Amino acid sequence: MRPAVTVRGLEKAYGPRRVLRGLDLEVRRGEIFALLGANGAGKTTALECIEGLRRCDAGEISVDGRLGVQLQSGALPGHLRAMEAVRLFALWNGTAPDGAMLAELGVDRLGKRPYAAMSAGQKRRLHLALALLRRPDVLVLDEPTAGLDVEGRSALHGCIRRLRDRGCTVLLSSHDAAEVERLCDRLAVLRDGRAVFCGTPAELAARSPRTVAVRTADGWIRRETGDVGGALLALLEDARRRGAAVLDVEVGRGALEHSLLELLEEGTE
């Protein structure tokens, strides 16, 4: 199946500062794909090039289908009401507002509240509704949950998952490793303008050591290891030799955030 988004050899510099250095990405249809990286890694620049908002210096970008965009920092006139914005954007895009989508995002319940009086979460949901008016095949979200409280983040995550389940491809950037682990199917880690890792959250987490623990009457004995089976057998054998009854066994998975920090720190040595 043809990828939804393909990026090959993307280069971008701002004066003498090279932000993208031959970035390669491939986003599959119907997945939630995240760009992770430190500030200045090139996440927003890469998204802006894909969106067509910024011209790249070299490379190729292919987006298969209609594109919807939610910018990292967008704003509307303070006096504009939610449904006024919806009708205006629908007119620009030559589409009719989708009542079910507006209800799902809660935009229809904002009533006559002006944009300036909306909470951060309400503004984010309105921006997402405006991005969805074109009924995009590919939705690009730059830091979609920045500034939201726990309830707002959870609601927006649910909307993004439902879009994915309906066949929409979602490409987003984030600083939050925990968010990406819960939400995304695959991710790429950007460092110095290149993708230094691409795979599933579980594959990234597996790069860091896992913890194996055995509990006896004397308490827990823990080991960090890359060989879960070998470490567990060694702990069980040690308990057997001591004549200690094993009361519990625990195997912890690798930490995605730990693996991410290790990848990013490799570029600072």
Side-chain angles (χ1 to χ4, degrees):
M1 184 181 294
R2 183 177 175 182
V5 179
T6 305
V7 175
R8 292 285 179 264
L10 199 62
E11 302 268 351
K12 180 63 184 177
Y14 301 110
R17 185 169 69 93
R18 294 179 65 197
V19 178
L20 299 178
R21 304 166 180 260
L23 177 65
D24 293 325
L25 289 174
E26 189 172 280
V27 182
R28 300 166 185 164
R29 289 180 180 275
E31 71 174 350
I32 303 174
F33 188 99
L35 300 183
L36 275 172
N39 287 332
K43 302 186 300 298
T44 292
T45 296
L47 293 185
E48 288 176 345
C49 290
I50 292 169
E51 294 159 355
L53 298 177
R54 195 172 296 279
R55 187 185 298 274
C56 62
D57 298 329
E60 298 179 355
I61 300 171
S62 172
V63 177
D64 191 20
R66 294 183 303 276
L67 187 65
V69 175
Q70 182 183 12
L71 301 176
Q72 182 179 24
S73 56
L76 297 171
H79 66 275
L80 195 65
R81 295 180 173 90
M83 291 309 298
E84 289 175 337
V86 168
R87 288 191 291 269
L88 180 60
F89 275 68
L91 181 62
W92 283 343
N93 287 286
T95 61
D98 182 342
M101 179 268 289
L102 296 175
E104 183 178 20
L105 292 174
V107 172
D108 63 340
R109 297 191 296 275
L110 293 178
K112 297 183 178 181
R113 185 173 304 175
Y115 183 80
M118 295 179 192
S119 69
Q122 290 168 339
K123 289 177 179 178
R124 287 285 183 178
R125 290 197 293 273
L126 175 57
H127 293 167
L128 180 56
L130 299 179
L132 292 172
L133 283 173
R134 294 188 67 209
R135 296 173 175 80
D137 303 296
V138 179
L139 180 64
V140 180
L141 308 173
D142 196 352
E143 299 283 353
T145 60
L148 297 187
D149 58 19
V150 173
E151 184 179 359
R153 292 164 75 92
S154 178
L156 195 53
H157 287 177
C159 292
I160 292 171
R161 290 191 187 95
R162 287 190 289 273
L163 287 168
R164 185 268 315 276
D165 294 343
R166 295 169 192 161
C168 183
T169 302
V170 181
L171 171 60
L172 61 90
S173 70
S174 178
H175 283 97
D176 189 336
E179 172 178 72
V180 168
E181 187 169 21
R182 291 191 301 269
L183 182 63
C184 297
D185 301 301
R186 290 194 309 134
L187 61 94
V189 178
L190 270 58
R191 189 184 71 212
D192 298 328
R194 298 185 180 92
V196 295
F197 173 87
C198 187
T200 66
E203 288 168 343
L204 178 57
R207 294 169 60 99
S208 60
R210 301 179 72 178
T211 302
V212 176
V214 169
R215 183 167 68 90
T216 66
D218 297 326
W220 285 96
I221 302 174
R222 301 179 187 275
R223 289 185 184 175
E224 281 195 349
T225 179
D227 178 9
V228 172
L232 181 58
L233 287 174
L235 288 175
L236 292 173
E237 178 61 23
D238 177 67
R240 186 189 65 79
R241 285 197 304 268
R242 292 187 289 109
V246 174
L247 304 177
D248 200 359
V249 172
E250 184 180 88
V251 178
R253 59 190 177 88
L256 184 142
E257 189 168 7
H258 184 272
S259 297
L260 173 63
L261 290 173
E262 284 189 338
L263 269 176
L264 298 179
E265 288 170 358
E266 287 175 9
T268 62
E269 295 175 356

